[in-house]
Amino acid sequence: MSVQARVPIDAASIQVPRGQVYTIPNRCKGCNFCIQFCPKEVLEFSEAINNKGYHFPVVRKGMEEQCIHCRFCDLICPELAIFTREVEPATAVGASA
Ligand code: SF4
Ligand code: SF4
């Protein structure tokens, strides 16, 4: 059985937003929510630990331009420790603290 995907008639004009990820490492409690639920699998835990002793999220190597600014990490974080800002695709450069 073949399945044909429908393509929106304006597909060529749709621009996917790009986001830049910002974290506030010392607020993070290492719950993993942002990493687990990012739809683009952009995030991973840092090797470093914050002043509470937790690893905090960073952008995975090679994924610096993959954040789509869906803001889910921002909305789900119980500590308000991560957020994103929309940037032009050409200027999306990934994480910063
Ligand atoms: S804004 Fe969305 S795509 Fe970007 S890091 Fe957060 S959850 Fe992932
Ligand atoms: S959701 Fe917030 S507290 Fe949990 S790991 Fe991500 S930044 Fe840290």
Side-chain angles (χ1 to χ4, degrees):
M1 182 180 78
S2 67
V3 177
Q4 288 191 322
R6 297 174 64 196
V7 178
I9 57 173
D10 60 348
S13 66
I14 294 173
Q15 279 202 314
V16 178
R18 287 274 178 257
Q20 181 159 359
V21 181
Y22 295 84
T23 60
I24 305 172
N26 287 333
R27 284 192 184 175
C28 176
K29 65 180 181 184
C31 71
N32 197 34
F33 287 173
C34 59
I35 296 170
Q36 184 175 1
F37 292 106
C38 171
K40 298 292 286 181
E41 300 183 355
V42 166
L43 305 169
E44 65 181 0
F45 275 130
S46 63
E47 292 186 6
I49 57 172
N50 65 14
N51 65 6
K52 298 175 186 168
Y54 296 116
H55 297 282
F56 50 88
V58 292
V59 174
R60 291 169 52 205
K61 192 172 174 57
M63 300 294 283
E64 291 82 358
E65 297 191 10
Q66 298 306 309
C67 172
I68 55 172
H69 188 52
C70 68
R71 296 192 57 220
F72 198 67
C73 54
D74 181 348
L75 296 171
I76 204 171
C77 177
E79 302 300 320
L80 306 178
I82 186 168
F83 61 97
T84 60
R85 296 182 68 181
E86 186 169 0
V87 294
E88 293 297 320
T91 61
V93 292
S96 65

